[in-house]
């Protein structure tokens, strides 16, 4: 937090980081958080065989079982509380509680496993919660242009789609800024309507 920031002047916003299993949610929260992030990572065991689709992420040895939490002060007036959702379907029951009071979400996508992002996209569309799609730069992500990915995801033209790297704090921060701007623009349209 900035030394000259008065806590009473800060606007706190809750943001969800969602997407499929092993797509980079924990990595994004960890790369941005100015506090030691709260991670609920547990070791994957043989019990996850046939349950978690780990074939495309063979080096993954842990998984989020509740949520990840981090905090980032964007500027003198804005602080974001980051809540990373669990990616496996057996934990989706927690998403409604995590989404309560949030300004919007970042849905991370691994283009090698594009089907894994649809439950998150459907969740936020059905709840009319603003979201942006962040194509995480896994191998092959840059092989596709924005129109091809937008069509494959069946995204509306007003849903922001960005390429980003969850390991890079600057890239992750830019994605969050895109989300906040999108959420503010949607709020302005609703109020004007």
């Amino acid at each position: 937090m900035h030394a000259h920031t008065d806590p009473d002047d800060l606007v706190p916003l809750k943001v969800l980081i969602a997407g499929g299993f092993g797509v980079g949610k924990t990595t994004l929260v960890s790369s941005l958080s100015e506090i030691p992030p709260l991670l609920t990572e547990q070791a994957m065991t043989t019990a996850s065989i046939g349950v978690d689709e780990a074939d495309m992420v063979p080096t993954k040895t842990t998984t989020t079982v509740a949520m990840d939490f981090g905090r980032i002060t964007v500027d003198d007036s804005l602080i974001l509380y980051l809540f990373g959702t669990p990616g496996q379907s057996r934990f989706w029951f927690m998403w409604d509680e995590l989404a309560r009071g949030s300004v919007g979400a970042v849905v991370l996508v691994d283009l090698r496993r594009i089907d894994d992002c649809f439950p998150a996209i459907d969740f936020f569309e059905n709840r009319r919660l603003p979201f942006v799609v962040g194509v995480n730069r896994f191998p092959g992500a840059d092989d596709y242009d924005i129109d091809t990915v937008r069509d494959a995801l069946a995204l509306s033209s007003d849903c922001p789609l960005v390429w980003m790297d969850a390991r890079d704090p600057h890239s992750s921060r830019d994605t969050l800024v895109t989300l906040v701007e999108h959420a503010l623009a949607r709020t302005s349209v609703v109020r004007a309507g």
Side-chain angles (χ1 to χ4, degrees):
M1 197 146 97
H2 304 292
H4 61 282
T5 302
D6 182 351
D8 293 334
D9 294 336
L10 287 172
V11 174
L13 296 178
K14 180 180 182 182
V15 172
L16 296 186
I17 311 299
F21 172 74
V23 78
K25 300 175 297 291
T26 298
T27 301
L28 187 148
V29 171
S30 296
S31 76
L32 282 175
S33 186
E34 63 197 20
I35 62 171
L38 168 65
L39 307 176
T40 60
E41 292 277 291
Q42 293 295 315
M44 293 177 57
T45 67
T46 56
S48 70
I49 296 172
V51 177
D52 296 328
E53 299 290 331
D55 294 344
M56 291 301 293
V57 282
T59 59
K60 187 165 177 59
T61 60
T62 61
T63 188
T64 300
V65 296
M67 68 173 183
D68 298 322
F69 174 77
R71 182 186 77 202
I72 179 173
T73 303
V74 176
D75 60 27
D76 289 344
S77 63
L78 182 62
I79 189 167
L80 300 179
Y81 293 101
L82 309 174
F83 289 81
T85 66
Q88 303 94 320
S89 60
R90 66 183 182 275
F91 297 123
W92 289 347
F93 68 92
M94 291 189 276
W95 286 22
D96 276 317
E97 280 303 315
L98 289 172
R100 191 171 314 222
S102 66
V103 68
V106 173
V107 175
L108 291 178
V109 177
D110 177 350
L111 292 179
R112 302 170 301 174
R113 302 175 291 129
I114 197 166
D115 289 346
D116 293 353
C117 73
F118 287 116
I121 289 172
D122 291 345
F123 179 88
F124 298 115
E125 283 179 342
N126 289 337
R127 286 154 184 81
R128 293 185 167 83
L129 192 65
F131 68 96
V132 302
V133 173
V135 175
N136 202 356
R137 282 207 155 93
F138 286 103
D142 293 324
D143 295 347
Y144 302 94
D145 64 60
I146 194 165
D147 292 329
T148 300
V149 174
R150 184 176 291 284
D151 288 346
L153 297 175
L155 292 177
S156 65
S157 59
D158 67 334
C159 179
L161 174 63
V162 298
W163 266 248
M164 51 91 60
D165 185 336
R167 299 167 299 183
D168 178 2
H170 298 291
S171 178
S172 296
R173 184 180 173 120
D174 289 347
T175 302
L176 289 178
V177 168
T178 300
L179 170 63
V180 171
E181 290 172 347
H182 175 59
L184 289 173
R186 279 198 38 186
T187 300
S188 298
V189 168
V190 169
R191 286 186 181 155

